[in-house]
């Protein structure tokens, strides 16, 4: 009986040593990896937070955009290369109202389907380290906190006239090479305020 008890204690002690030893090391690594910038610390003090889950694809209406869908399968294929994540607002060129809001992480692609017929331009936010804030009304504001820039497309994307039969699609390639944006469409720089409205 005593040898089993002794062996059990040794196994328990060994297991606890590994568990707490590894746990202590992984906490140190996580603290280094998740070190907040001064800007992020300031935003957190103001009530901003880092989302607990990764964001990708169309953002829900809580982000302040009531999505509009068309009858046909007009679509944007959006391919993001390396260097940044991108938040994209698809804006009706005649009303300046955003009809879709999309988040595309670095090195991924997304297909935004059922774009209503009409003409659109894009507002784009590029960056890293996305943070969010919940307003009193429950709506969410999101923004990048590192390597941030904002653009608006000069190009207008024409998805045809109402009741047209043809399906229209556009392929958008967005990439950052040596801190220089490389898009397959033309843009001009805008402010954060302009992007958010």
């Amino acid at each position: 009986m005593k040898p089993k008890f002794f062996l059990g204690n040794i196994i328990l002690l060994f297991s606890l040593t590994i568990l707490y030893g590894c746990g202590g090391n992984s906490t140190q690594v996580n603290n280094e990896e998740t070190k907040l910038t001064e800007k992020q610390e300031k935003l957190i003090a103001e009530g901003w937070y880092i989302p607990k889950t990764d964001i990708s694809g169309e953002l829900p209406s809580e982000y302040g955009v009531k999505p509009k869908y068309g009858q046909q399968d007009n679509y944007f294929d959006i391919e993001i290369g390396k260097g940044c994540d991108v938040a994209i607002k698809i804006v009706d060129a005649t009303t300046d109202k955003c009809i879709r809001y999309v988040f595309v992480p670095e090195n991924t692609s997304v297909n935004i389907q059922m774009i209503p017929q009409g003409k659109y331009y894009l507002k784009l936010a590029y960056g890293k380290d996305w943070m969010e804030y919940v307003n009193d009304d429950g709506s969410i504001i999101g923004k990048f906190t590192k390597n941030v820039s904002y653009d608006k497309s000069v190009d207008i994307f024409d998805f045809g006239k109402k009741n047209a039969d043809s399906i229209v699609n556009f392929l958008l390639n967005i990439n950052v090479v040596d801190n220089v944006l490389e898009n397959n469409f033309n843009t001009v720089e805008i402010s954060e305020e302009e992007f958010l409205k």
Side-chain angles (χ1 to χ4, degrees):
M1 212 58 172
K2 285 187 177 181
K4 285 185 182 178
F5 179 75
F6 180 73
L7 184 59
N9 281 339
I10 290 176
I11 291 172
L12 178 63
L13 182 62
F14 181 72
S15 298
L16 289 173
T17 303
I18 289 175
L19 179 67
Y20 287 108
C22 292
N25 289 340
S26 67
T27 303
Q28 275 186 323
V29 171
N30 286 341
N31 286 340
E32 289 173 13
E33 288 176 4
T34 59
K35 186 174 181 181
L36 299 175
T37 65
E38 188 177 315
K39 180 177 184 177
Q40 289 172 321
E41 287 176 355
K42 182 180 177 191
L43 287 170
I44 286 172
E46 296 171 3
W48 290 74
Y49 63 92
I50 298 169
K52 292 182 181 183
T53 58
D54 292 336
I55 299 171
S56 183
E58 286 193 58
L59 298 175
S61 58
E62 287 83 11
Y63 286 83
V65 175
K66 184 177 179 183
K68 291 188 179 175
Y69 300 93
Q71 298 290 326
Q72 291 179 295
D73 198 15
N74 297 328
Y75 62 90
F76 277 112
D77 265 332
I78 303 169
E79 295 179 357
I80 305 299
K82 63 180 181 174
C84 65
D85 299 329
V86 183
I88 302 170
K89 290 185 173 182
I90 302 170
V91 182
D92 187 315
T94 57
T95 65
D96 287 324
K97 293 210 183 255
C98 181
I99 64 146
R100 303 288 263 289
Y101 194 6
V102 182
F103 188 96
V104 190
E106 175 181 23
N107 290 321
T108 62
S109 61
V110 69
N111 180 272
I112 306 304
Q113 300 178 346
M114 299 182 76
I115 304 292
Q117 291 166 323
K119 295 181 180 181
Y120 302 93
Y121 64 90
L122 306 174
K123 289 183 183 180
L124 305 107
Y126 312 92
K128 284 295 205 182
D129 297 343
W130 181 263
M131 290 184 72
E132 297 179 345
Y133 180 83
V134 178
N135 291 309
D136 292 337
D137 64 1
S139 64
I140 300 172
I141 300 170
K143 68 179 181 177
F144 296 110
T145 59
K146 186 176 177 187
N147 301 333
V148 186
S149 65
Y150 299 93
D151 281 347
K152 175 179 161 181
S153 69
V154 174
D155 298 358
I156 300 293
F157 301 93
D158 189 346
F159 282 94
K161 294 180 180 172
K162 195 169 184 175
N163 301 321
D165 291 338
S166 58
I167 294 173
V168 182
N169 65 70
F170 293 96
L171 174 63
L172 306 177
N173 290 309
I174 301 169
N175 200 13
V176 177
V177 177
D178 297 326
N179 292 325
V180 176
L181 271 160
E182 294 182 352
N183 299 338
N184 65 345
F185 55 95
N186 297 310
T187 61
V188 292
E189 191 173 338
I190 60 172
S191 66
E192 178 180 324
E193 293 75 24
E194 174 69 20
F195 176 80
L196 291 174
K197 70 177 183 177

